[in-house]
Amino acid sequence: MESIQAVKGMNDILPGQVEWWQKVETTAREVLENFGYREIRTPVLEKLELFSRGIGESTDIVEKEMYAFEDRRGEWLALRPEATASVVRAYIQHNLQADFTMQKLYALGPMFRRERPQKGRYRQFHQIDVEAFGVDDPMLDAEMMYMLRVFLERIGLSGVVLHINSLGCPQCRQEHKVRLQGYLETHQETLCPDCRKRRHTNPLRTFDCKVERCQKVLEKAPHLLGSICEPCGTHFERVKDHMEQLRTPYLINPRMVRGLDYYTRTAFEVITDQLGAQNAVGGGGRYNGLAQDLGGPDIPGIGFAIGMERLILLLQQQQEEARRMPKIFLAAMGERARTHAFLLTQELRAAGLETEMDYEGKSLKSQMRRADKYGVSHVLILGEEEMDKGVAKLRNMAGKSQQEIPLEDLPAAMKNL
Ligand code: AMP
């Protein structure tokens, strides 16, 4: 019978890989919690309307990429393509602002977009998502980007650049839209069919287009940063001042627009040149109107998401293995020794030591090979001879030195290694 494969673009994360994930998740939790963020977990399935209203009807995500379906009772649902809309929904639904207006939340988990799979782009992928509500001050924008930098440094990622931009507010965006439409009008012959459509529906999205001839046209297009209003301009200046105060390097990129409609003012992306076409490791920005658009109070918000697959691909290119293996291996020969080794293994584990043993009755040579493959620091050898003497041989794998330890002194002796 033909074996069943996973859905295209959706990956298993196997032992040997999962250690990277654990490292990233642990470091993320540590850093985020130091900055005052608390975890929130929301469902992967939401009402379709949440995303079409939240992200924007004429974005690629909503138009082309969502896993949306009608359930058995005719309700339209979608697998979440990103986390912000869900977190905002939860914030409103549970009235979190009643507790503190200012809420700092983070979520880890899978997102779903039906894109064309390639290296760094999958249909199920994972994000570290960070959201802060209730503060409009540019200090928070800078703090968030600083925190992102601290996280990436703590995890040891190098060779990435932080791009920042301001996307203005609905007012300055409207004026820019008219100007951009005018410009695109004069170049419409050159534009791809998608961009010709976007010109009417959502001209800012043309900046996202990957088609080369469109990118050429857009090189000279009027960008938003050049025409943001005074309050938006002041906000951006203050963000930059705080970034300098925090000694956090950035590059101003007036062409970065982000793929979602809800952003206002500050937008940012962490860019790499080490992943081919998928050059964004993470990104985010301010979304001051989103809570209101989703039927909640007028509360400002800002957030970002890091793509875990891309982050891990980069880390794997840059770092040694993150594999976690047992520290101690018990090699036993003969029934009596094996039975004792079984008990000892459990005792060492219960005492907090990562320990592994052979369950298959393999030869000593084969057991030593396995211990070597695991990269353990110590092997405890137990045979008939050792059992008679009431000892175990402790071999230090690094120094290859060997000593005898009375059985009654184990596991205490091991804990003192
Ligand atoms: P976005 O919500 O589109 O700004 O995405 C934020 C981050 O999620 C990106 O910078 C990527 O690292 C990651 N990401 C987005 N889409 C995918 C995908 N299809 N596969 C893998 N990672 C993705």
Side-chain angles (χ1 to χ4, degrees):
M1 236 194 291
E2 207 180 317
S3 66
I4 298 170
Q5 307 285 305
V7 176
K8 189 174 169 198
M10 307 208 176
N11 302 310
D12 299 309
I13 303 168
L14 303 178
Q17 283 291 316
V18 86
E19 291 77 5
W20 290 98
W21 290 78
Q22 291 166 340
K23 180 179 163 182
V24 165
E25 286 163 5
T26 308
T27 311
R29 287 180 197 285
E30 267 170 31
V31 173
L32 294 171
E33 285 171 19
N34 282 347
F35 280 83
Y37 287 79
R38 292 182 306 161
E39 186 174 2
I40 180 169
R41 302 186 190 196
T42 65
V44 291
L45 207 57
E46 297 270 5
K47 291 186 178 154
L48 173 63
E49 191 192 353
L50 174 66
F51 303 116
S52 43
R53 251 212 275 168
I55 300 171
E57 290 280 6
S58 52
T59 55
D60 277 1
I61 296 180
V62 172
E63 272 187 344
K64 303 182 196 162
E65 297 168 0
M66 253 195 314
Y67 283 94
F69 62 93
E70 210 175 347
D71 80 356
R72 285 162 197 271
R73 301 299 284 270
E75 190 173 17
W76 276 94
L77 304 173
L79 284 169
R80 62 178 180 193
E82 57 108 48
T84 304
S86 306
V87 175
V88 174
R89 184 216 25 86
Y91 176 86
I92 298 167
Q93 182 175 338
H94 303 287
N95 214 6
L96 296 186
Q97 78 277 11
D99 196 1
F100 284 111
T101 317
M102 158 90 158
Q103 291 280 340
K104 289 173 158 182
L105 304 168
Y106 75 90
L108 307 176
M111 309 295 153
F112 305 84
R113 294 182 195 172
R114 204 176 187 293
E115 298 190 82
R116 195 166 49 79
Q118 54 178 273
K119 183 180 174 188
R121 193 161 78 191
Y122 311 100
R123 290 180 172 174
Q124 174 175 318
F125 61 97
H126 298 74
Q127 287 185 339
I128 300 166
D129 181 75
V130 179
E131 314 290 347
F133 299 100
V135 177
D136 196 23
D137 197 289
M139 246 184 218
L140 191 67
D141 308 32
E143 179 187 287
M144 201 166 246
M145 291 186 271
Y146 174 73
M147 177 174 76
L148 180 53
R149 171 188 153 202
V150 169
F151 167 69
L152 294 175
E153 278 179 6
R154 181 84 60 88
I155 199 106
L157 187 77
S158 56
V160 288
V161 180
L162 176 68
H163 288 211
I164 73 170
N165 190 16
S166 175
L167 298 179
C169 58
Q171 286 76 37
C172 36
R173 208 129 88 188
Q174 190 51 37
E175 286 169 29
H176 172 259
K177 185 175 168 179
V178 176
R179 214 165 321 139
L180 183 59
Q181 271 171 330
Y183 174 83
L184 295 172
E185 193 76 50
T186 58
H187 291 82
Q188 60 161 322
E189 306 300 309
T190 324
L191 297 174
C192 75
D194 271 350
C195 280
R196 250 176 264 166
K197 206 173 106 204
R198 287 182 187 123
R199 183 166 58 92
H200 303 292
T201 54
N202 199 342
L204 207 56
R205 289 275 77 79
T206 53
F207 282 99
D208 286 336
C209 187
K210 297 275 185 285
V211 176
E212 208 172 306
R213 59 180 203 271
C214 296
Q215 284 185 0
K216 270 238 136 54
V217 169
L218 286 158
E219 267 171 27
K220 298 216 171 63
H223 44 70
L224 235 165
L225 191 57
S227 54
I228 54 175
C229 64
E230 205 188 314
C232 288
T234 309
H235 187 99
F236 195 52
E237 288 307 314
R238 285 203 41 218
V239 171
K240 290 189 288 181
D241 288 346
H242 286 305
M243 292 297 276
E244 261 125 56
Q245 187 192 3
L246 297 171
R247 295 185 199 293
T248 299
Y250 61 85
L251 198 99
I252 296 174
N253 178 355
R255 282 171 214 291
M256 184 243 298
V257 294
R258 313 275 305 124
L260 308 91
D261 279 352
Y262 52 61
Y263 289 112
T264 54
R265 295 192 167 169
T266 314
F268 53 99
E269 257 173 15
V270 173
I271 301 292
T272 172
D273 58 5
Q274 302 160 43
L275 273 185
Q278 308 311 316
N279 64 356
V281 183
R286 199 163 256 296
Y287 48 80
N288 285 355
L290 184 58
Q292 218 170 18
D293 288 347
L294 294 176
D298 183 12
I299 284 176
I302 177 168
F304 69 83
I306 299 173
M308 292 173 76
E309 280 80 1
R310 290 187 197 170
L311 175 60
I312 288 167
L313 277 170
L314 285 174
L315 290 174
Q316 286 173 332
Q317 288 174 20
Q318 296 178 5
Q319 297 179 10
E320 298 280 309
E321 293 188 45
R323 230 162 29 143
R324 258 170 72 92
M325 282 298 181
K327 305 270 173 356
I328 302 165
F329 190 86
L330 260 85
M333 289 298 295
E335 216 29 60
R336 194 159 51 120
R338 270 169 51 80
T339 308
H340 193 81
F342 173 64
L343 174 66
L344 196 54
T345 300
Q346 314 313 330
E347 284 177 348
L348 290 172
R349 289 171 174 166
L353 296 163
E354 288 167 50
T355 309
E356 194 46 280
M357 63 172 276
D358 165 64
Y359 299 91
E360 296 155 282
K362 292 268 172 71
S363 71
L364 185 63
K365 206 168 144 195
S366 146
Q367 292 188 45
M368 292 307 286
R369 258 206 309 271
R370 196 150 129 227
D372 210 39
K373 201 163 164 194
Y374 281 157
V376 299
S377 59
H378 293 82
V379 180
L380 273 174
I381 303 167
L382 268 176
E384 283 300 318
E385 200 189 308
E386 285 80 17
M387 289 306 289
D388 286 343
K389 278 170 77 178
V391 298
K393 278 199 192 109
L394 176 66
R395 184 179 295 184
N396 180 336
M397 298 298 274
K400 299 283 177 208
S401 62
Q402 201 157 284
Q403 68 184 103
E404 285 185 350
I405 299 185
L407 288 178
E408 66 265 22
D409 293 350
L410 293 168
M414 300 304 290
K415 284 187 88 171
N416 292 332
L417 277 179

